[in-house]
């Protein structure tokens, strides 16, 4: 389902995107993003530090949140102009769900509230995002 | 002890790094798109040159910001706490992106697990035409 910018209304839900993030995905992302901090690959270190597993890179979780937006409103129609992301709790490898809602819209912008939740339904990451018409 | 660390960090507010200059390679954009699960063909288009996926800006953090935020403050763990960004011109293959970073803030909060020391740095990206590409404010917390 793709929508024109002007057809979007406040309250509209962004369809949920379900993703399974594996430890292999974290290694692949570390290479692509040049982010090698041990929190994302050194499981013994994390367990010793009191965490149950390695942590998904915050920017990778947010990349999937952005994907949920672009599947709903493709980049040909709107581009991201601003965002603010909060990593409330660590996200661990496994299923995550991304979604959100349209908070407001005028002729020049759409404001979204987004989330990512883990397998237990905890919202580990939230974001606000402003979209503007493409081009 | 943390107060002394904080005092030292706060003296660094305004400290800058860079600019780091990177020529954007099509292969790197495609590799990043694949690693973030992208499916839109614009992120893989070798014919017209791929466009960077929205969060590709994060790949500048390791070099441009990591050296500014002090991760060795005497607390056992650090985590990414938040990002704020304004996005301008897209990043395209062949672009020459300049990343300049600045140490913005450091402060202490009491958390559930004990003291939490937050640090924020800001990175500005411009392209070869000196157009604004992104301003990204990254915060990390040591705890």
């Amino acid at each position: 389902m793709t929508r024109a910018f002007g057809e979007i209304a406040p309250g509209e839900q962004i369809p949920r995107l379900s993703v399974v993030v594996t430890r292999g995905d974290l290694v692949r992302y570390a290479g692509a993003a040049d982010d090698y901090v041990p929190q994302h690959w050194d499981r013994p270190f994390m367990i010793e530090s009191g965490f149950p597993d390695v942590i998904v890179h915050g920017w990778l979780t947010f990349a999937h949140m952005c994907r949920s937006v672009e599947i709903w409103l493709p980049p040909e129609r709107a581009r991201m102009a601003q965002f603010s992301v909060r990593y409330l709790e660590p996200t661990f490898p496994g299923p995550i769900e991304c979604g959100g809602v349209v908070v407001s819209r005028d002729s020049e912008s759409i404001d979204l509230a987004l989330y990512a939740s883990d397998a237990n339904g905890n919202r580990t990451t939230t974001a606000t995002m402003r979209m503007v018409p493409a081009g | 002890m943390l107060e002394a660390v904080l005092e030292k960090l706060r003296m660094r507010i305004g400290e800058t790094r860079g600019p780091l200059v990177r020529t954007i390679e099509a292969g790197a954009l495609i590799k990043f798109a694949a690693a973030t699960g992208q499916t839109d063909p614009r992120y893989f288009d070798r014919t017209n040159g791929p466009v960077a996926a929205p969060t590709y800006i994060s790949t500048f953090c390791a070099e441009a910001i990591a050296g500014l935020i002090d991760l060795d403050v005497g607390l056992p763990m650090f985590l990414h706490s938040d990002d704020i960004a304004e996005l301008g011109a897209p990043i395209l293959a062949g672009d020459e992106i300049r990343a300049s970073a600045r140490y913005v803030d450091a402060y202490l909060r009491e958390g559930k697990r004990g003291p939490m020391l937050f640090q924020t740095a800001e990175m500005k990206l411009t392209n070869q035409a000196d157009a604004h590409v992104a301003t990204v404010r990254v915060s990390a917390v040591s705890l």
Side-chain angles (χ1 to χ4, degrees), chain A residues 25 28-29 31-35 37-39 45-46 49-51 55 57-60 62-64 66-67 70-71 74-76 79-88 90, chain B residues 22 28 31-32 34-40 42-43 54-63 71 76-89 113 136 138 143:
Chain A
D25 292 332
R28 197 170 300 114
Y29 182 78
D34 197 23
D35 182 344
V37 300
Q39 282 80 341
F45 161 71
M46 291 305 288
S49 303
F51 292 82
I55 294 172
H57 302 75
W59 280 107
L60 177 56
F62 184 59
H64 289 302
C66 292
R67 279 213 300 133
E70 289 195 340
I71 291 167
E76 298 78 36
R79 70 170 185 86
M80 295 170 197
Q82 293 173 15
F83 60 76
S84 176
V85 195
R86 294 194 68 198
Y87 306 103
L88 305 172
Chain B
R22 186 196 296 174
K31 190 174 166 185
F32 184 83
T36 51
Q38 307 297 332
T39 51
D40 193 300
R42 63 170 35 210
Y43 302 130
T55 62
Y56 181 77
I57 53 176
S58 67
T59 66
F60 292 89
C61 291
E63 277 184 90
L71 302 175
M77 179 58 61
F78 68 88
L79 301 170
H80 194 173
S81 69
D82 57 83
D83 297 306
I84 298 172
E86 284 188 25
L87 306 176
R113 296 163 66 119
V136 190
V138 176
L143 67 172

Side-chain angles (χ1 to χ4, degrees), chain A residues 86-119:
Chain A
R86 294 194 68 198
Y87 306 103
L88 305 172
E89 295 178 39
T91 303
F92 299 106
I96 62 170
E97 193 173 89
C98 304
V101 65
V102 178
V103 176
S104 63
R105 181 181 78 78
D106 60 27
S107 59
E108 293 173 353
S109 63
I110 298 172
D111 286 346
L112 308 174
L114 306 172
Y115 70 86
S117 56
D118 64 15

Side-chain angles (χ1 to χ4, degrees), chain B residues 63-123:
Chain B
E63 277 184 90
I65 284 184
L68 269 179
I69 291 182
D70 188 349
L71 302 175
D72 188 17
V73 295
L75 291 167
M77 179 58 61
F78 68 88
L79 301 170
H80 194 173
S81 69
D82 57 83
D83 297 306
I84 298 172
E86 284 188 25
L87 306 176
I91 297 178
L92 309 170
D95 278 355
E96 187 178 271
I97 301 295
R98 297 167 74 83
S100 301
R102 183 170 63 93
Y103 193 82
V104 172
D105 201 7
Y107 59 92
L108 273 171
R109 288 272 185 282
E110 199 56 35
K112 278 183 279 186
R113 296 163 66 119
M116 302 167 81
L117 198 159
F118 289 85
Q119 296 179 74
T120 302
E122 184 179 270
M123 168 176 84

